[in-house]
Amino acid sequence: MRYAIIGAGMAGMLAAIKLLERGCRDLIVYEKGHTIGGTWRENTYPGLTCDVPSHSYTYSFELNPDWTRTQPPGHEVQAYFEAVKEKYGLEEWITFNEEVVSCVYQHGRWQLKTASGRQDSADAVIAATGVLHHPRYPDISGIDAFQGAIFHSAEWDHSTPLDGQRIAIIGTGSTGVQLVSALSTRASVLTHFQRSPQWIMPVEDRAYTTHELARFKNNPDVLQSLHYDEELESNIERYTAAITNPDSEAMQEIETIVADFLAMAVTDADLREKIRPDYRAACKRLIYSPNFYQAIQRDNVEVLVENVTRIEAKGIRGADGRLREFDVIVLATGYKPHEFMRPMNIVGSNGTILNNVWRDKPVAYLSISIPDFPNFFMLNGPNGPVGNFSLIEIAECQWAYIEQLLAELETGKCQEISATQQAMAEYEHARVEQAKKTIFASGCSSWYLDSKGVPATWPWTRRDFKAAMQKPDLTHFLTVGNAMNRP
Ligand code: NAP
């Protein structure tokens, strides 16, 4: 079988490594960028840090003794993936600077076209195109008139000076919070525009000592115990249990921690009330930060809780009518999260067009397979677990599941495999009903919500997710033909 993997980020690299491990030598990875890394290649903003602990944000088969901090800085994550690419010789299999623009199922094979006009075909496609990669630009009047530097957090302009500059950060997601923390000590003036203040979860982010680093290098058991840290595992289980049951004790515990942190860390009562969210903790993705509250209490930092509606040549006109002048405006305004592989034109069997199937919202059986799109599998596809735990772990679980479907094809049990319409409909119905009960639906805006306001996430616990990924129920899949009859 010939495989095409789309995307050489964390998930695409995983698929390539695993296929090579299975002995597959007929595969190609298409990557639109100039190197691997996906989100970690694209995001290079100051303060970029992964909020999942370093040793958890690591492939289970490639533990990393070299993480220098408990929370990995973005550049170290990118360096880690580069090192994995080298070790597994992935360069040989990846075609860079080739964006797949079309993927059409014809005569039992996927026909691919790239932006440069290259054509290819494959028996199976693995879409590993990521979730958050289409920056969302805010619709703010006058934005084009600004004479200073203005850019989205995912498109950082490294030629723009920051030290001693007057900087505005728009947005209070994980990105805005990390940016404010990092730039508050560098800017002469930093103004943080928070349309919706966020609950902040305290987290330790410290450098490992030389003694610890030596232990990681010399003792694989120590590394292993950090990767599967029992305390962290039980915290994650508790966290996902809390998300799925907003009335649980576990949820109350989270609410107490973040409320106490706000009370303790923000000493000015006016500021404290100004930034107190009016929705429940974890309704939006929970933000972990060791130093954000400290940053916003610096003398050079101002917090404005408002929607930015007017940018002018010299700065931002606030709700108070005052023009604040800036040298740099950063749009930490997030992403369009429901695009996935699009704008790629994807056409399944019988001419089924993905854009039509996904007109209302992206759906996939267990986030992995779409009816009428045979032998097309997604890693980190729609409605998956996007809470505060490692997407690497999630992708590994999904791969273990996909591999079993591939085995059906490889061993000749069938020629085509995709979820049945019935399995898709039943799964999506159950998912939506449960999603409406999660904390994400408790009354806030967030990128987790679909166009109807329903959380586009895996709504059960992490344990449930792992159980679901153990073994495909083949009665939920439509299998066609016998691969032995392949022409
Ligand atoms: P985000 O969570 O979608 O946040 C976007 C922010 O921009 C929100 O605060 C939003 O306000 C605000 N905004 C949009 N338009 C605005 C306007 N006109 N005026 C004022 N504010 C405006 O985006 P993100 O921070 O880039 O994070 C997205 C996701 O990326 C995270 O949830 C996380 O999954 C991932 N991420 C992860 C890490 C990590 O450490 N692992 C780091 C960064 C990002 P509203 O809330 O009112 O809409």
Side-chain angles (χ1 to χ4, degrees):
M1 286 193 40
R2 175 166 171 77
Y3 290 95
I5 299 170
I6 307 177
M10 169 277 287
M13 288 173 61
L14 169 74
I17 291 168
K18 293 291 176 181
L19 282 173
L20 290 169
E21 231 172 61
R22 290 169 75 80
C24 169
R25 289 294 176 272
D26 195 0
L27 77 118
I28 184 159
V29 185
Y30 284 106
E31 168 53 57
K32 70 177 178 187
H34 69 282
T35 185
I36 52 88
T39 196
W40 300 105
R41 178 195 66 226
E42 305 277 297
N43 281 279
T44 55
Y45 61 78
L48 173 68
T49 308
C50 180
D51 63 6
V52 174
S54 306
H55 291 281
S56 300
Y57 198 76
T58 308
Y59 293 123
S60 61
F61 52 88
E62 203 50 57
L63 303 186
N64 177 21
D66 297 326
W67 296 122
T68 63
R69 303 188 66 83
T70 51
Q71 307 289 125
H75 66 89
E76 282 192 25
V77 180
Q78 179 63 12
Y80 167 73
F81 287 126
E82 292 281 357
V84 172
K85 177 198 77 179
E86 291 299 317
K87 176 166 173 184
Y88 288 84
L90 296 184
E91 190 105 25
E92 185 186 333
W93 307 97
I94 306 174
T95 302
F96 291 106
N97 302 307
E98 283 281 11
E99 180 176 358
V100 179
V101 292
S102 159
C103 218
V104 178
Y105 194 68
Q106 271 173 339
H107 316 302
R109 292 199 106 202
W110 284 99
Q111 311 294 333
L112 284 76
K113 270 192 205 139
T114 69
S116 71
R118 181 175 169 152
Q119 306 209 6
D120 197 352
S121 65
D123 297 294
V125 171
I126 313 295
T129 51
V131 186
L132 301 172
H133 55 110
H134 295 284
R136 189 176 58 200
Y137 299 92
D139 184 16
I140 302 174
S141 102
I143 196 164
D144 295 331
F146 183 61
Q147 288 170 352
I150 180 164
F151 42 83
H152 190 276
S153 56
E155 294 167 345
W156 199 267
D157 178 358
H158 288 277
S159 67
T160 299
L162 300 169
D163 294 307
Q165 302 296 295
R166 298 162 302 173
I167 302 176
I169 312 267
I170 302 177
T172 338
S174 307
T175 306
V177 164
Q178 291 182 350
L179 275 166
V180 169
S181 307
L183 295 180
S184 64
T185 52
R186 297 179 61 185
S188 59
V189 172
L190 188 147
T191 306
H192 189 201
F193 289 89
Q194 305 191 0
R195 181 163 69 186
S196 314
Q198 287 265 21
W199 289 109
I200 307 289
M201 181 62 101
V203 65
E204 184 188 44
D205 181 12
R206 67 171 179 87
Y208 285 120
T209 63
T210 46
H211 174 68
E212 284 173 310
L213 290 171
R215 274 181 71 224
F216 300 160
K217 264 211 157 49
N218 301 329
N219 192 339
D221 290 346
V222 174
L223 265 192
Q224 194 62 37
S225 68
L226 283 169
H227 185 64
Y228 291 107
D229 177 335
E230 270 181 34
E231 191 184 333
L232 182 71
E233 290 283 307
S234 100
N235 284 346
I236 296 172
E237 289 303 342
R238 214 167 149 68
Y239 174 74
T240 59
I243 285 170
T244 52
N245 180 3
D247 299 325
S248 60
E249 214 179 281
M251 193 64 237
Q252 280 168 19
E253 202 182 308
I254 291 173
E255 290 180 309
T256 306
I257 295 171
V258 295
D260 287 354
F261 188 37
L262 177 63
M264 188 198 68
V266 180
T267 49
D268 177 331
D270 289 342
L271 177 63
R272 198 163 57 228
E273 292 320 306
K274 185 158 88 168
I275 62 168
R276 186 185 296 282
D278 59 3
Y279 55 87
R280 295 184 66 183
C283 182
K284 291 173 188 278
R285 182 189 160 102
L286 200 51
I287 295 185
Y288 286 73
S289 175
N291 51 4
F292 175 66
Y293 284 147
Q294 209 179 330
I296 58 170
Q297 291 176 91
R298 293 177 58 88
D299 289 343
N300 60 330
V301 176
E302 182 184 21
V303 173
L304 293 176
V305 176
E306 62 190 60
N307 186 17
V308 176
T309 56
R310 173 114 205 109
I311 296 181
E312 298 180 9
K314 291 198 172 309
I316 296 176
R317 178 85 52 191
D320 56 5
R322 206 180 115 200
L323 176 70
R324 285 167 181 78
E325 296 192 0
F326 296 109
D327 304 301
V328 184
I329 297 177
V330 181
L331 308 169
T333 46
Y335 298 83
K336 291 183 259 178
H338 307 302
E339 298 299 303
F340 294 93
M341 303 85 74
R342 295 176 292 178
M344 199 192 302
N345 174 41
I346 304 174
V347 182
S349 48
N350 308 319
T352 312
I353 298 169
L354 186 76
N355 260 334
N356 292 342
V357 177
W358 282 8
R359 182 160 287 143
D360 285 346
K361 59 175 180 178
V363 287
Y365 174 67
L366 290 171
S367 307
I368 283 176
S369 172
I370 313 164
D372 293 333
F373 291 79
N375 309 350
F376 186 100
F377 309 102
M378 285 171 286
L379 287 168
N380 292 314
N383 311 315
V386 286
N388 295 81
F389 58 103
S390 171
L391 269 189
I392 299 185
E393 180 189 32
I394 292 164
E396 285 193 20
C397 292
Q398 291 172 331
W399 181 261
Y401 183 98
I402 291 170
E403 240 177 5
Q404 296 174 65
L405 300 177
L406 298 181
E408 295 294 303
L409 297 167
E410 288 167 349
T411 55
K413 291 192 183 130
C414 61
Q415 199 164 356
E416 293 184 355
I417 190 162
S418 59
T420 63
Q421 294 286 1
Q422 188 184 346
M424 177 72 252
E426 286 173 5
Y427 167 75
E428 185 58 7
H429 177 74
R431 190 196 67 75
V432 164
E433 288 313 304
Q434 179 57 29
K436 288 178 189 164
K437 298 178 190 156
T438 61
I439 192 73
F440 305 137
S442 65
C444 67
S445 64
S446 84
W447 67 264
Y448 284 167
L449 304 181
D450 67 19
S451 57
K452 296 194 171 74
V454 176
T457 61
W458 172 263
W460 298 285
T461 66
R462 173 173 176 257
R463 189 170 286 141
D464 295 333
F465 171 72
K466 287 187 157 186
M469 291 295 105
Q470 283 292 314
K471 193 169 167 34
D473 177 346
L474 291 177
T475 64
H476 291 181
F477 286 87
L478 179 68
T479 55
V480 177
N482 180 328
M484 294 308 179
N485 300 332
R486 194 186 293 269

